Amino acid sequence: MKIVIVNGSARKKGRTGIASRHFEKSYGTELIDLSQLKLPIFNGEEDQYHLEEVKNLKEKIGQADGIILASPEYHSGMSGALKNALDFLGSQQFAHKPLALLAVSGGGKGGINTLNNMRIVARGLYANVIPRQLVLDPDCFDYENDSLLPEADALAKQLMDELSRYIKINNLLKEQER
């Protein structure tokens, strides 16, 4: 089972990156780190689809059995970096694929609008967004060890368990269609 997590933050040392690396280390997900990827601003012109970064992004997302989108909340929505990356992708990569959503907030009631924003865009990509979602506040992080604290990791595990169940169901359905 191949699960990809997309760190949707352009910030190299942000909390979304910490969360994404935690999933990579603790749960064996493959990390696509938008703070490292050199994607141009999407303009829809044909030449962009031939860029190596774009081809690699499409291939990794297309080959995944399931995906986790992780984003900080900026002005009640997902990051521009994540939206830009998603604009390079389409239903060919996402249709019927189980997708989990993770928002990193500054605290309080943050994150919910980001989750809703990602859910709307995912629906436009024909992804199968799972019901469980996760918001991580600043007090969920072990900054010294670039990881999540145990209580937050328990929530991350619940997200992974549910995503894995949906992947198994999706794979069974694909087998029956063959």
Side-chain angles (χ1 to χ4, degrees):
M1 183 177 316
K2 182 177 180 182
I3 299 174
V4 171
I5 185 163
V6 179
N7 170 22
S9 177
R11 186 178 286 176
K12 294 194 184 325
K13 295 187 180 189
R15 289 187 301 270
T16 308
I18 293 172
S20 298
R21 289 186 296 275
H22 177 82
F23 274 83
E24 179 186 35
K25 290 182 281 192
S26 298
Y27 301 106
T29 62
E30 180 178 348
L31 175 61
I32 296 174
D33 189 344
L34 297 184
S35 75
Q36 305 294 320
L37 199 60
K38 304 293 184 218
L39 286 177
I41 294 175
F42 178 77
N43 64 18
E45 294 177 9
E46 186 63 34
D47 62 323
Q48 286 190 327
Y49 293 103
H50 301 291
L51 297 171
E52 210 53 46
E53 295 89 347
V54 173
K55 287 195 238 179
N56 288 338
L57 176 66
K58 290 175 96 166
E59 183 178 335
K60 286 180 182 182
I61 296 293
Q63 291 177 352
D65 295 309
I67 301 160
I68 303 169
L69 296 181
S71 179
E73 181 160 295
Y74 292 145
H75 305 299
S76 297
M78 75 176 93
S79 72
L82 180 57
K83 178 62 169 81
N84 186 59
L86 293 174
D87 286 341
F88 281 102
L89 304 167
S91 61
Q92 302 87 350
Q93 289 80 38
F94 282 97
H96 309 292
K97 195 170 288 187
L99 178 70
L101 304 177
L102 185 158
V104 177
S105 76
K109 295 183 180 182
I112 296 302
N113 289 324
T114 297
L115 294 171
N116 289 335
N117 183 226
M118 288 191 291
R119 191 172 294 278
I120 289 167
V121 172
R123 190 168 44 237
L125 293 166
Y126 298 95
N128 180 13
V129 181
I130 67 172
R132 184 175 295 277
Q133 53 194 16
L134 180 58
V135 175
L136 297 173
D137 292 326
D139 61 354
C140 293
F141 295 88
D142 179 351
Y143 296 96
E144 204 171 289
N145 293 305
D146 196 49
S147 194
L148 297 179
L149 292 171
E151 301 84 16
D153 180 52
L155 297 172
K157 183 175 182 336
Q158 290 174 0
L159 186 73
M160 283 298 296
D161 289 347
E162 185 164 315
L163 180 60
S164 296
R165 277 194 295 278
Y166 276 85
I167 290 169
K168 288 175 187 172
I169 291 166
N170 193 46
N171 288 342
L172 283 172
L173 291 172
K174 284 196 276 189
E175 283 295 317
Q176 288 178 353
E177 290 174 356
R178 290 183 193 163

